[in-house]
Amino acid sequence: MYGGIGCLGTPVVRTDAASIWATGRTWWQIPPIAEVTFTGKLPKGVTGKDVIVALCGLFSHDEVLNHAIEFTGSKETMDSLKVDDRLTIANMTTEWGALTGLFPIDSVLQAWLRYKATTAALFESSSGTGKRFSHSRLDDLFKNQLVADKGAKYAKHLHLDLSTLSPYVSGPNSVKVATPLNELEAQDITINRAYLVSCTNSRATDLAAAAKVFKDAAKENDDKIPQIADGVNFYIAAASLPEQEAAEEAGDWQAMLDAGAKPLPAGCGPCIGLGTGLLEPGEVGISASNRNFKGRMGSTDAKAYLASPEVVAASALSGKISGPGWYEKPSGWQGVTRGEGDGIREEDRMITAEEALEKVIGQLDELVEKAEKDLGGETTATEEEAAMTEVLAGFPEKVEGEIVFCDADNINTDGIYPGKYTYQDDVTTERMAEVCMSNYDTAFSSIAREGDILVAGFNFGCGSSREQAATAILAKKIPLVAAGSFGNIFSRNSINNALMGVEVPRLVQRLRETFAPSQVMATTEITEPSRNRESLDSPPPASQSSPKQEKVLTRRTGWKLLWDVRRSRVEVQEGEGGAKWSQKVGELPPN
């Protein structure tokens, strides 16, 4: 969320925090940088929540995995994005797969910060906030603000035309699935619970947007706030006490209470599976929070959707996923405009002579780099020995075991270690091992064995920063995880807690080619027109068989993997008598 106000923020967990307190130092691997360019302006009825939900769904193939994002755009476009919208977008860049998302320190943010500094001076002058949040400090910030170097190179460029967006809803049970609201409205999806909670979208402005849904409905109900739909529980919790107090002063909090909302304490709650109102088996919920992973907000047999505060409120009022009707589709709309690049057509592009020179120099640098790689030659045995990773005493030089394959991408930390255990201090190591991967597959505990090598798909360990996702795998006595790619926070937690991991995309590909879902014949009854039975030569039709896909979530493969730590190489034996191959993998950093 810090990125919404021009601050670079990245998550740390208990082990990180303890080491920072003890040493005053920490480590951070510099990520690749992606530039995301916004064009146009948001139509009426479209919010920052719709922007980030749409980005998660429209770019859902790890385009920004483990990147830091710089959000850019013309002054006209960026001026149209309020700070609260930016906070929501930056907050959920983690769900998109990125490490952090950073907005510029522009005139919009400067005005917002000046307002906050003035408020602090008037009402909190003697407190720590009043002393820290001062106009003099802002003067220094604006003179020395964080900006990209001139001619900076980015790992990739993406663009999104905000004017082509409509309200979006995420889910069920995945932020990678995003659907335009009007498509879900047509499906008539009944809900059981609605949540206006969490740091993502429960600031005073969010509460005001939700309250407006009920206030507008009151105008057609003899100025009486209407009640939420029968069978729906609507929970509200402000992001903080000051935000709740602001909503109370504006009458927004009371409007939702009058509609039948159930207040919860400010701060975290149902979003992380704690407290009152969790989803029960078979229920459907819609929330303004940031994550809807299976089982995170309650039962693994429930469905969770994410949407903006006004859509959550409108859904609570109608009893099904729906919007307040504020969206106005632009004339001539033909779909969402997005893609790679900065979104500027070449014929419309105007660059200075200096920018043209930088472009040519950049192209020459790329040619030189390619030539150096092509002419690099073979590495001799002596050079390879000199380049070996130094292994400290007690650290294994090789790790070997049978592969247990969890065939899924985007297995999140809630799937690896259920949230309901995360904040229990009395969970034993044995219990951690039992529940490891249980939100992903309840059979994992009985299939995986001590010493196995866990292999999963891409973006393994995405989601929240809980380090128990790493320590639970260690509790299961699995020493190594291999994946197509890892979520960065899981990698960091693994390193901090001595769970080893290697990225081997080729291995995932080979496993999927070999263990494709089996064909199971499913029988279906064929119905016939009723009058056919009157014909003597028309016997009843026989049951018909058709192929049905059956996917195994966790399987023992019989394959063996050996990781040579010193040589940074893995060797794979594809079952008894199968192919054997090896591949260079990333090196461990110097000890």
Side-chain angles (χ1 to χ4, degrees):
M1 184 181 295
Y2 309 103
I5 53 172
C7 298
L8 183 66
T10 193
V12 296
V13 292
R14 298 178 304 180
T15 303
D16 279 314
S19 67
I20 292 170
W21 291 328
T23 68
R25 302 175 65 190
T26 189
W27 66 275
W28 197 51
Q29 186 176 18
I30 304 301
I33 313 297
E35 182 184 47
V36 176
T37 302
F38 292 140
T39 59
K41 295 182 179 180
L42 291 176
K44 182 179 179 181
V46 182
T47 69
K49 185 58 162 271
D50 299 308
V51 174
I52 189 59
V53 167
L55 284 172
C56 290
L58 296 173
F59 298 98
S60 60
H61 300 292
D62 293 346
E63 287 90 343
V64 296
L65 180 63
N66 296 334
H67 286 60
I69 296 173
E70 285 184 28
F71 292 107
T72 64
S74 68
K75 186 178 187 308
E76 183 181 21
T77 293
M78 301 309 283
D79 283 354
S80 70
L81 282 174
K82 297 175 293 187
V83 170
D84 279 356
D85 285 328
R86 300 178 187 197
L87 290 171
T88 299
I89 295 169
N91 180 294
M92 284 188 62
T93 50
T94 304
E95 280 62 57
W96 193 12
L99 282 177
T100 186
L102 189 68
F103 278 86
I105 302 176
D106 58 6
S107 58
V108 173
L109 177 58
Q110 290 181 19
W112 186 87
L113 290 171
R114 290 292 187 192
Y115 168 77
K116 292 292 184 180
T118 299
T119 302
L122 289 173
F123 303 107
E124 304 174 68
S125 57
S126 60
S127 70
T129 301
K131 295 174 182 177
R132 292 193 309 270
F133 217 128
S134 66
H135 284 286
S136 60
R137 293 195 68 183
L138 291 182
D139 290 338
D140 182 60
L141 171 65
F142 299 159
K143 288 178 184 176
N144 304 283
Q145 57 183 273
L146 188 67
V147 294
D149 294 337
K150 201 168 187 180
K153 293 182 181 179
Y154 294 88
K156 60 182 57 178
H157 301 264
L158 302 173
H159 69 90
L160 175 68
D161 185 347
L162 301 181
S163 67
T164 64
L165 279 184
S166 63
Y168 265 76
V169 177
S170 169
N173 296 349
S174 173
V175 293
K176 299 282 188 177
V177 178
T179 308
L181 172 63
N182 65 319
E183 293 183 20
L184 292 183
E185 285 179 316
Q187 296 178 29
D188 206 31
I189 301 172
T190 300
I191 67 165
N192 306 99
R193 300 178 192 267
Y195 304 89
L196 183 53
V197 298
S198 91
C199 56
T200 311
N201 274 117
S202 210
R203 293 177 289 278
T205 53
D206 301 313
L207 299 170
K212 186 177 184 300
V213 173
F214 297 101
K215 292 177 179 179
D216 286 354
K219 296 174 183 176
E220 300 178 6
N221 190 43
D222 296 328
D223 289 329
K224 295 179 181 177
I225 296 292
Q227 294 295 291
I228 58 176
D230 292 338
V232 175
N233 287 298
F234 180 33
Y235 304 94
I236 58 174
S240 66
L241 280 174
E243 297 297 313
Q244 180 174 330
E245 290 168 358
E248 288 172 341
E249 290 176 7
D252 297 323
W253 191 261
Q254 189 60 48
M256 289 186 285
L257 294 180
D258 291 344
K262 298 179 178 181
L264 300 177
C268 295
C271 171
I272 55 172
L274 296 178
T276 302
L278 302 186
L279 287 169
E280 299 289 341
E283 289 189 335
V284 175
I286 187 166
S287 175
S289 53
N290 58 344
R291 292 172 184 152
N292 58 344
F293 304 137
K294 184 177 76 170
R296 180 179 175 85
M297 297 181 68
S299 171
T300 56
D301 294 323
K303 291 182 178 180
Y305 293 85
L306 302 179
S308 65
E310 43 265 66
V311 169
V312 169
S315 300
L317 185 58
S318 68
K320 58 185 181 181
I321 294 179
S322 57
W326 300 344
Y327 170 59
E328 295 180 0
K329 182 189 293 186
S331 60
W333 183 85
Q334 294 182 334
V336 178
T337 302
R338 85 282 187 181
E340 296 184 358
D342 58 13
I344 302 174
R345 298 183 304 174
E346 287 303 318
E347 57 266 33
D348 296 334
R349 191 181 303 279
M350 296 180 64
I351 61 175
T352 65
E354 186 179 4
E355 290 170 334
L357 180 60
E358 288 175 354
K359 184 176 181 180
V360 171
I361 292 173
Q363 292 171 340
L364 289 173
D365 287 342
E366 291 172 2
L367 288 172
V368 170
E369 185 177 344
K370 183 178 185 301
E372 288 175 344
K373 287 182 179 179
D374 293 342
L375 299 174
E378 295 294 324
T379 302
T380 66
T382 304
E383 289 172 331
E384 184 175 326
E385 186 70 27
M388 283 188 182
T389 300
E390 179 189 357
V391 178
L392 296 180
F395 195 94
E397 291 193 8
K398 295 182 179 180
V399 180
E400 183 177 11
E402 182 180 345
I403 291 174
V404 171
F405 185 35
C406 291
D407 187 7
D409 297 331
N410 304 308
I411 296 178
N412 55 71
T413 52
D414 282 87
I416 301 169
Y417 191 74
K420 62 184 176 182
Y421 301 107
T422 302
Y423 302 98
Q424 295 181 21
D425 295 329
D426 57 349
V427 180
T428 63
T429 301
E430 293 74 20
R431 183 59 176 158
M432 290 184 75
E434 288 175 13
V435 302
C436 178
M437 300 293 288
S438 60
N439 266 10
Y440 165 73
D441 181 11
T442 55
F444 179 86
S445 179
S446 60
I447 296 173
R449 302 169 188 162
E450 180 179 343
D452 284 341
I453 306 299
L454 171 60
V455 178
F458 292 83
N459 197 20
F460 182 80
C462 59
S464 67
S465 57
R466 69 190 63 165
E467 63 183 342
Q468 292 95 330
T471 56
I473 294 173
L474 286 171
K476 189 66 177 170
K477 297 184 178 179
I478 292 174
L480 174 65
V481 180
S485 59
F486 291 99
N488 181 275
I489 188 62
F490 178 84
S491 294
R492 184 182 180 93
N493 288 335
S494 296
I495 293 169
N496 286 345
N497 288 281
L499 171 65
M500 294 176 283
V502 289
E503 293 188 352
V504 195
R506 179 184 174 189
L507 176 57
V508 177
Q509 180 183 354
R510 286 292 302 130
L511 286 165
R512 286 177 170 170
E513 290 170 351
T514 305
F515 299 102
S518 57
Q519 298 289 325
V520 177
M521 303 308 287
T523 59
T524 55
E525 296 296 326
I526 305 299
T527 59
E528 64 174 349
S530 59
R531 293 184 65 85
N532 277 8
R533 294 173 184 158
E534 297 175 12
S535 172
L536 295 176
D537 62 353
S538 178
S543 298
Q544 302 293 306
S545 295
S546 59
K548 179 183 178 182
Q549 295 292 319
E550 182 179 290
K551 183 174 181 179
V552 178
L553 294 177
T554 306
R555 83 164 65 235
R556 302 199 66 81
T557 63
W559 293 24
K560 297 293 180 65
L561 182 145
L562 181 146
W563 179 32
D564 188 328
V565 178
R566 292 195 69 219
R567 290 176 172 79
S568 302
R569 181 174 293 277
V570 295
E571 296 178 1
V572 176
Q573 175 66 54
E574 297 186 357
E576 190 173 346
K580 185 174 182 178
W581 52 271
S582 66
Q583 178 181 320
K584 190 83 172 173
V585 294
E587 297 180 21
L588 285 177
N591 290 300

